[in-house]
Amino acid sequence: KIYRDKQPNNMQKLYTNSGRIAFALSVFLAAPMILCGEWLIGVVFTEDYVAAAYLPLLIIVVAYLINVFCGPAGYMLQMSEFEKDSLPGQCLAILVNIILCLLLIPAHGAIGAAIGIFTGHLFRNGMTCWMLSSRLGLRPTILSLRWPNQKNP
């Protein structure tokens, strides 16, 4: 409705505020995994898994925090009739993820898989934030920073 009614300032407020709320909740949920992850892994899966699982856990948690930090860019594109513009970012992320996992898992195991996931998320977030900025003129991320390619709302 906000997009149809051509209310860019309200759309920016909705984007930024919902992203900030989601990020605050995510940090609240991620903090125990970051601060007590080794202990949690040891309690849930036994101490045998701590050495192999803690670093991949950290990498994936940071990837998801970056994802939430970027805000709901993909959802905003989909809700504002630019759903086709979110597809290239999704496809590139999947491709990067698959290629990196195929290359890194044989040599680095779970850490390689975590790096593949992390990098795929970075590509997807970069693409969707760029599209959101160029198509809708919104300032992506929860900080509402202006991007170089951004049109005026």
Side-chain angles (χ1 to χ4, degrees):
K1 182 169 172 29
I2 293 173
Y3 173 73
R4 268 184 309 196
D5 294 344
K6 306 282 189 232
Q7 300 174 5
N9 289 336
N10 288 341
M11 197 150 59
Q12 182 65 57
K13 282 182 193 173
L14 174 67
Y15 181 86
T16 303
N17 290 337
S18 63
R20 287 177 179 165
I21 291 168
F23 187 72
L25 290 171
S26 296
V27 168
F28 177 75
L29 294 171
M33 287 187 259
I34 293 169
L35 300 173
C36 305
E38 291 175 303
W39 177 79
L40 287 169
I41 293 168
V43 167
V44 175
F45 298 105
T46 74
E47 290 293 323
D48 299 338
Y49 290 95
V50 173
Y54 183 61
L55 185 56
L57 173 70
L58 286 180
I59 293 169
I60 292 171
V61 167
V62 170
Y64 280 102
L65 285 174
I66 291 170
N67 184 39
V68 177
F69 177 83
C70 289
Y75 294 119
M76 291 297 279
L77 286 169
Q78 293 167 6
M79 291 187 295
S80 55
E81 301 172 2
F82 290 103
E83 59 275 349
K84 289 181 183 173
D85 290 338
S86 68
L87 184 63
Q90 297 286 345
C91 291
L92 181 62
I94 291 169
L95 186 63
V96 166
N97 191 341
I98 290 170
I99 290 170
L100 284 178
C101 284
L102 288 173
L103 292 173
L104 296 175
I105 289 173
H108 303 287
I111 294 172
I115 291 170
I117 292 168
F118 180 89
T119 308
H121 276 291
L122 287 181
F123 273 90
R124 182 178 59 96
N125 288 319
M127 291 285 293
T128 54
C129 284
W130 178 76
M131 287 292 189
L132 183 73
S133 176
S134 63
R135 298 291 190 255
L136 296 173
L138 296 179
R139 295 181 303 274
T141 78
I142 62 172
L143 298 179
S144 295
L145 301 174
R146 191 170 290 283
W147 282 44
N149 67 325
Q150 188 168 3
K151 66 180 184 180
N152 291 325

PDB file of all heavy atoms in Angstrom, residues 92-113:
ATOM      1  N   LEU A  92      22.647 -15.802  -8.132  1.00  0.00           N
ATOM      2  CA  LEU A  92      24.086 -15.624  -7.969  1.00  0.00           C
ATOM      3  C   LEU A  92      24.547 -16.172  -6.624  1.00  0.00           C
ATOM      4  O   LEU A  92      25.579 -16.844  -6.538  1.00  0.00           O
ATOM      5  CB  LEU A  92      24.460 -14.147  -8.101  1.00  0.00           C
ATOM      6  CG  LEU A  92      25.943 -13.821  -7.976  1.00  0.00           C
ATOM      7  CD1 LEU A  92      26.739 -14.497  -9.086  1.00  0.00           C
ATOM      8  CD2 LEU A  92      26.155 -12.327  -7.994  1.00  0.00           C
ATOM      9  N   ALA A  93      23.770 -15.920  -5.593  1.00  0.00           N
ATOM     10  CA  ALA A  93      24.130 -16.417  -4.261  1.00  0.00           C
ATOM     11  C   ALA A  93      24.163 -17.939  -4.232  1.00  0.00           C
ATOM     12  O   ALA A  93      25.081 -18.535  -3.664  1.00  0.00           O
ATOM     13  CB  ALA A  93      23.141 -15.888  -3.218  1.00  0.00           C
ATOM     14  N   ILE A  94      23.175 -18.558  -4.836  1.00  0.00           N
ATOM     15  CA  ILE A  94      23.135 -20.022  -4.875  1.00  0.00           C
ATOM     16  C   ILE A  94      24.329 -20.567  -5.657  1.00  0.00           C
ATOM     17  O   ILE A  94      24.987 -21.521  -5.232  1.00  0.00           O
ATOM     18  CB  ILE A  94      21.806 -20.518  -5.478  1.00  0.00           C
ATOM     19  CG1 ILE A  94      20.664 -20.223  -4.511  1.00  0.00           C
ATOM     20  CG2 ILE A  94      21.863 -22.005  -5.800  1.00  0.00           C
ATOM     21  CD1 ILE A  94      19.284 -20.425  -5.106  1.00  0.00           C
ATOM     22  N   LEU A  95      24.619 -19.951  -6.796  1.00  0.00           N
ATOM     23  CA  LEU A  95      25.741 -20.388  -7.621  1.00  0.00           C
ATOM     24  C   LEU A  95      27.070 -20.240  -6.875  1.00  0.00           C
ATOM     25  O   LEU A  95      27.891 -21.172  -6.850  1.00  0.00           O
ATOM     26  CB  LEU A  95      25.764 -19.598  -8.935  1.00  0.00           C
ATOM     27  CG  LEU A  95      26.773 -20.027  -9.976  1.00  0.00           C
ATOM     28  CD1 LEU A  95      26.473 -21.451 -10.438  1.00  0.00           C
ATOM     29  CD2 LEU A  95      26.741 -19.072 -11.156  1.00  0.00           C
ATOM     30  N   VAL A  96      27.285 -19.086  -6.264  1.00  0.00           N
ATOM     31  CA  VAL A  96      28.512 -18.855  -5.497  1.00  0.00           C
ATOM     32  C   VAL A  96      28.610 -19.853  -4.351  1.00  0.00           C
ATOM     33  O   VAL A  96      29.664 -20.447  -4.105  1.00  0.00           O
ATOM     34  CB  VAL A  96      28.562 -17.399  -4.970  1.00  0.00           C
ATOM     35  CG1 VAL A  96      29.627 -17.224  -3.901  1.00  0.00           C
ATOM     36  CG2 VAL A  96      28.789 -16.437  -6.117  1.00  0.00           C
ATOM     37  N   ASN A  97      27.499 -20.063  -3.658  1.00  0.00           N
ATOM     38  CA  ASN A  97      27.469 -20.999  -2.537  1.00  0.00           C
ATOM     39  C   ASN A  97      27.842 -22.410  -2.990  1.00  0.00           C
ATOM     40  O   ASN A  97      28.693 -23.064  -2.382  1.00  0.00           O
ATOM     41  CB  ASN A  97      26.075 -20.979  -1.904  1.00  0.00           C
ATOM     42  CG  ASN A  97      26.017 -21.700  -0.592  1.00  0.00           C
ATOM     43  OD1 ASN A  97      26.861 -22.517  -0.261  1.00  0.00           O
ATOM     44  ND2 ASN A  97      24.988 -21.404   0.173  1.00  0.00           N
ATOM     45  N   ILE A  98      27.227 -22.876  -4.055  1.00  0.00           N
ATOM     46  CA  ILE A  98      27.507 -24.228  -4.554  1.00  0.00           C
ATOM     47  C   ILE A  98      28.964 -24.371  -4.997  1.00  0.00           C
ATOM     48  O   ILE A  98      29.649 -25.337  -4.634  1.00  0.00           O
ATOM     49  CB  ILE A  98      26.544 -24.598  -5.706  1.00  0.00           C
ATOM     50  CG1 ILE A  98      25.126 -24.786  -5.163  1.00  0.00           C
ATOM     51  CG2 ILE A  98      27.012 -25.853  -6.429  1.00  0.00           C
ATOM     52  CD1 ILE A  98      24.060 -24.922  -6.233  1.00  0.00           C
ATOM     53  N   ILE A  99      29.444 -23.409  -5.777  1.00  0.00           N
ATOM     54  CA  ILE A  99      30.824 -23.482  -6.276  1.00  0.00           C
ATOM     55  C   ILE A  99      31.824 -23.467  -5.123  1.00  0.00           C
ATOM     56  O   ILE A  99      32.753 -24.280  -5.078  1.00  0.00           O
ATOM     57  CB  ILE A  99      31.108 -22.344  -7.285  1.00  0.00           C
ATOM     58  CG1 ILE A  99      30.326 -22.594  -8.580  1.00  0.00           C
ATOM     59  CG2 ILE A  99      32.607 -22.219  -7.568  1.00  0.00           C
ATOM     60  CD1 ILE A  99      30.341 -21.430  -9.549  1.00  0.00           C
ATOM     61  N   LEU A 100      31.637 -22.544  -4.183  1.00  0.00           N
ATOM     62  CA  LEU A 100      32.577 -22.479  -3.067  1.00  0.00           C
ATOM     63  C   LEU A 100      32.505 -23.723  -2.187  1.00  0.00           C
ATOM     64  O   LEU A 100      33.538 -24.202  -1.709  1.00  0.00           O
ATOM     65  CB  LEU A 100      32.333 -21.218  -2.235  1.00  0.00           C
ATOM     66  CG  LEU A 100      32.851 -19.928  -2.862  1.00  0.00           C
ATOM     67  CD1 LEU A 100      32.514 -18.737  -1.984  1.00  0.00           C
ATOM     68  CD2 LEU A 100      34.338 -19.995  -3.116  1.00  0.00           C
ATOM     69  N   CYS A 101      31.317 -24.241  -1.981  1.00  0.00           N
ATOM     70  CA  CYS A 101      31.206 -25.473  -1.183  1.00  0.00           C
ATOM     71  C   CYS A 101      31.902 -26.631  -1.887  1.00  0.00           C
ATOM     72  O   CYS A 101      32.621 -27.409  -1.243  1.00  0.00           O
ATOM     73  CB  CYS A 101      29.742 -25.797  -0.899  1.00  0.00           C
ATOM     74  SG  CYS A 101      29.034 -24.745   0.398  1.00  0.00           S
ATOM     75  N   LEU A 102      31.717 -26.740  -3.196  1.00  0.00           N
ATOM     76  CA  LEU A 102      32.390 -27.815  -3.933  1.00  0.00           C
ATOM     77  C   LEU A 102      33.908 -27.677  -3.872  1.00  0.00           C
ATOM     78  O   LEU A 102      34.628 -28.674  -3.797  1.00  0.00           O
ATOM     79  CB  LEU A 102      31.924 -27.833  -5.389  1.00  0.00           C
ATOM     80  CG  LEU A 102      30.502 -28.334  -5.635  1.00  0.00           C
ATOM     81  CD1 LEU A 102      30.115 -28.128  -7.095  1.00  0.00           C
ATOM     82  CD2 LEU A 102      30.373 -29.797  -5.238  1.00  0.00           C
ATOM     83  N   LEU A 103      34.394 -26.435  -3.897  1.00  0.00           N
ATOM     84  CA  LEU A 103      35.830 -26.206  -3.861  1.00  0.00           C
ATOM     85  C   LEU A 103      36.422 -26.320  -2.454  1.00  0.00           C
ATOM     86  O   LEU A 103      37.534 -26.822  -2.281  1.00  0.00           O
ATOM     87  CB  LEU A 103      36.165 -24.826  -4.436  1.00  0.00           C
ATOM     88  CG  LEU A 103      35.920 -24.625  -5.927  1.00  0.00           C
ATOM     89  CD1 LEU A 103      36.141 -23.172  -6.304  1.00  0.00           C
ATOM     90  CD2 LEU A 103      36.817 -25.539  -6.743  1.00  0.00           C
ATOM     91  N   LEU A 104      35.693 -25.848  -1.450  1.00  0.00           N
ATOM     92  CA  LEU A 104      36.267 -25.729  -0.111  1.00  0.00           C
ATOM     93  C   LEU A 104      36.002 -26.906   0.817  1.00  0.00           C
ATOM     94  O   LEU A 104      36.804 -27.179   1.706  1.00  0.00           O
ATOM     95  CB  LEU A 104      35.765 -24.437   0.547  1.00  0.00           C
ATOM     96  CG  LEU A 104      36.186 -23.131  -0.125  1.00  0.00           C
ATOM     97  CD1 LEU A 104      35.531 -21.944   0.550  1.00  0.00           C
ATOM     98  CD2 LEU A 104      37.702 -22.995  -0.114  1.00  0.00           C
ATOM     99  N   ILE A 105      34.890 -27.598   0.643  1.00  0.00           N
ATOM    100  CA  ILE A 105      34.566 -28.688   1.568  1.00  0.00           C
ATOM    101  C   ILE A 105      35.596 -29.813   1.533  1.00  0.00           C
ATOM    102  O   ILE A 105      36.000 -30.302   2.595  1.00  0.00           O
ATOM    103  CB  ILE A 105      33.130 -29.213   1.343  1.00  0.00           C
ATOM    104  CG1 ILE A 105      32.122 -28.167   1.831  1.00  0.00           C
ATOM    105  CG2 ILE A 105      32.904 -30.534   2.051  1.00  0.00           C
ATOM    106  CD1 ILE A 105      30.677 -28.491   1.518  1.00  0.00           C
ATOM    107  N   PRO A 106      36.066 -30.239   0.363  1.00  0.00           N
ATOM    108  CA  PRO A 106      37.044 -31.338   0.387  1.00  0.00           C
ATOM    109  C   PRO A 106      38.302 -31.015   1.197  1.00  0.00           C
ATOM    110  O   PRO A 106      38.842 -31.882   1.882  1.00  0.00           O
ATOM    111  CB  PRO A 106      37.386 -31.535  -1.093  1.00  0.00           C
ATOM    112  CG  PRO A 106      36.194 -31.050  -1.828  1.00  0.00           C
ATOM    113  CD  PRO A 106      35.670 -29.899  -1.018  1.00  0.00           C
ATOM    114  N   ALA A 107      38.749 -29.775   1.143  1.00  0.00           N
ATOM    115  CA  ALA A 107      39.982 -29.425   1.855  1.00  0.00           C
ATOM    116  C   ALA A 107      39.739 -28.908   3.271  1.00  0.00           C
ATOM    117  O   ALA A 107      40.583 -29.083   4.149  1.00  0.00           O
ATOM    118  CB  ALA A 107      40.750 -28.368   1.058  1.00  0.00           C
ATOM    119  N   HIS A 108      38.591 -28.271   3.500  1.00  0.00           N
ATOM    120  CA  HIS A 108      38.389 -27.584   4.781  1.00  0.00           C
ATOM    121  C   HIS A 108      37.165 -28.051   5.560  1.00  0.00           C
ATOM    122  O   HIS A 108      36.877 -27.517   6.633  1.00  0.00           O
ATOM    123  CB  HIS A 108      38.302 -26.076   4.550  1.00  0.00           C
ATOM    124  CG  HIS A 108      39.502 -25.517   3.864  1.00  0.00           C
ATOM    125  ND1 HIS A 108      40.718 -25.375   4.499  1.00  0.00           N
ATOM    126  CD2 HIS A 108      39.688 -25.088   2.590  1.00  0.00           C
ATOM    127  CE1 HIS A 108      41.592 -24.862   3.651  1.00  0.00           C
ATOM    128  NE2 HIS A 108      40.999 -24.695   2.486  1.00  0.00           N
ATOM    129  N   GLY A 109      36.410 -28.990   5.022  1.00  0.00           N
ATOM    130  CA  GLY A 109      35.276 -29.559   5.738  1.00  0.00           C
ATOM    131  C   GLY A 109      34.186 -28.551   6.073  1.00  0.00           C
ATOM    132  O   GLY A 109      33.788 -27.739   5.234  1.00  0.00           O
ATOM    133  N   ALA A 110      33.733 -28.586   7.316  1.00  0.00           N
ATOM    134  CA  ALA A 110      32.624 -27.728   7.751  1.00  0.00           C
ATOM    135  C   ALA A 110      32.973 -26.249   7.664  1.00  0.00           C
ATOM    136  O   ALA A 110      32.099 -25.423   7.378  1.00  0.00           O
ATOM    137  CB  ALA A 110      32.216 -28.089   9.169  1.00  0.00           C
ATOM    138  N   ILE A 111      34.226 -25.904   7.893  1.00  0.00           N
ATOM    139  CA  ILE A 111      34.636 -24.496   7.770  1.00  0.00           C
ATOM    140  C   ILE A 111      34.494 -24.034   6.329  1.00  0.00           C
ATOM    141  O   ILE A 111      34.040 -22.917   6.063  1.00  0.00           O
ATOM    142  CB  ILE A 111      36.073 -24.294   8.291  1.00  0.00           C
ATOM    143  CG1 ILE A 111      36.105 -24.558   9.796  1.00  0.00           C
ATOM    144  CG2 ILE A 111      36.586 -22.903   7.973  1.00  0.00           C
ATOM    145  CD1 ILE A 111      37.491 -24.582  10.395  1.00  0.00           C
ATOM    146  N   GLY A 112      34.856 -24.874   5.372  1.00  0.00           N
ATOM    147  CA  GLY A 112      34.681 -24.544   3.959  1.00  0.00           C
ATOM    148  C   GLY A 112      33.221 -24.344   3.607  1.00  0.00           C
ATOM    149  O   GLY A 112      32.868 -23.432   2.857  1.00  0.00           O
ATOM    150  N   ALA A 113      32.353 -25.198   4.132  1.00  0.00           N
ATOM    151  CA  ALA A 113      30.914 -25.050   3.896  1.00  0.00           C
ATOM    152  C   ALA A 113      30.408 -23.742   4.485  1.00  0.00           C
ATOM    153  O   ALA A 113      29.616 -23.017   3.850  1.00  0.00           O
ATOM    154  CB  ALA A 113      30.155 -26.230   4.496  1.00  0.00           C
TER     155      ALA A 113
END
